[in-house]
Amino acid sequence: SLYPPHLFAPKSSDAPPPRGRKPFITLTWAQSLDAKISGPRNAQVTLSGPASMQLTHRLRELNDSILVGVGTVLNDNPSLTARIPALVPLRAQPVPVILDPALKTPADAKLVHNARTRIGHPPVICTTRPEPEWHDKNPTLAAAAKGSGEARLVRVAKEPGEQTTSSPPARQDNSCSNPNSDRFESNLAPCALQQPAALGRRPEPGPPPRRIV
């Protein structure tokens, strides 16, 4: 197997995570031949085929959590559930974790709706905002987290000099140099997303735009 054996052990919601052990981190993405992960102005494009989508959903089922930035939530409104070829039980679903410094996650996002309908776990939303500001900054999300538990808000301290962003990068160039990741899964689409004028040739027919789920 390409993965450590413990990844294939049955999950248990009652079992606490092992202490003192670094989590096994898989960095996964889909990109075009010119290292783009989205179209102009972050437009969604189809970069994953059926086989790579099955791999993506299998990885979701194998891992305990899945981490995204708030830019992905705002642009794509993903579900982040493991559902190909079929929706897996809640106990096998990954816990969504959202990096959201300014607390911009909409209360009607699919990730919150999934927790409400018991399709997915409540998303863990990591923000740099102090707790007294949560209700003023995003009252509907704060109410959902405090009342029905459809989300979990966690304050995360920002390191000195650290910068935060809410938009996904337009290019994917140096991800493999990330020392914190243990494995990389890159799906390379046989197309280029750069503007035709910059490429100096006529555009080739490509797949239609879609929202990433």
Side-chain angles (χ1 to χ4, degrees):
S1 171
L2 297 176
Y3 290 89
H6 73 269
L7 286 183
F8 295 91
K11 289 186 179 181
S12 172
S13 58
D14 298 328
R19 294 183 178 273
R21 188 177 72 181
K22 175 186 175 298
F24 187 91
I25 299 175
T26 298
L27 184 61
T28 177
W29 72 94
Q31 70 175 60
S32 62
L33 289 174
D34 51 348
K36 300 292 181 64
I37 62 174
S38 64
R41 295 177 294 277
N42 290 330
Q44 283 78 37
V45 293
T46 300
L47 293 173
S48 298
S52 61
M53 285 298 293
Q54 285 196 353
L55 172 62
T56 296
H57 284 253
R58 178 57 175 160
L59 287 175
R60 291 179 183 179
E61 184 179 358
L62 288 176
N63 287 271
D64 296 303
S65 63
I66 179 169
L67 176 71
V68 296
V70 68
T72 297
V73 177
L74 296 175
N75 289 332
D76 303 338
N77 194 20
S79 291
L80 302 182
T81 51
R83 61 188 184 279
I84 294 179
L87 184 70
V88 303
L90 178 62
R91 66 178 182 276
Q93 293 288 354
V95 177
V97 179
I98 307 171
L99 300 181
D100 186 1
L103 211 59
K104 296 180 179 180
T105 299
D108 59 352
K110 287 182 181 178
L111 293 173
V112 181
H113 175 76
N114 288 346
R116 183 181 307 122
T117 56
R118 301 292 294 171
I119 294 176
H121 297 285
V124 178
I125 303 173
C126 302
T127 179
T128 56
R129 299 281 181 173
E131 186 172 355
E133 297 182 10
W134 291 353
H135 186 271
D136 293 335
K137 186 66 180 177
N138 196 329
T140 52
L141 182 63
K146 185 176 182 180
S148 56
E150 296 166 3
R152 179 186 173 194
L153 303 185
V154 177
R155 196 211 173 170
V156 178
K158 187 169 65 172
E159 295 293 335
E162 181 183 1
Q163 295 182 350
T164 57
T165 179
S166 60
S167 299
R171 295 179 61 88
Q172 189 77 7
D173 292 326
N174 299 316
S175 296
C176 292
S177 63
N178 189 330
N180 296 317
S181 299
D182 300 286
R183 180 165 176 80
F184 304 93
E185 291 286 349
S186 178
N187 298 312
L188 184 62
C191 63
L193 299 181
Q194 192 172 349
Q195 293 293 338
L199 291 174
R201 58 180 175 82
R202 294 175 61 85
E204 298 179 358
R210 71 167 177 83
R211 298 195 69 82
I212 300 174
V213 294

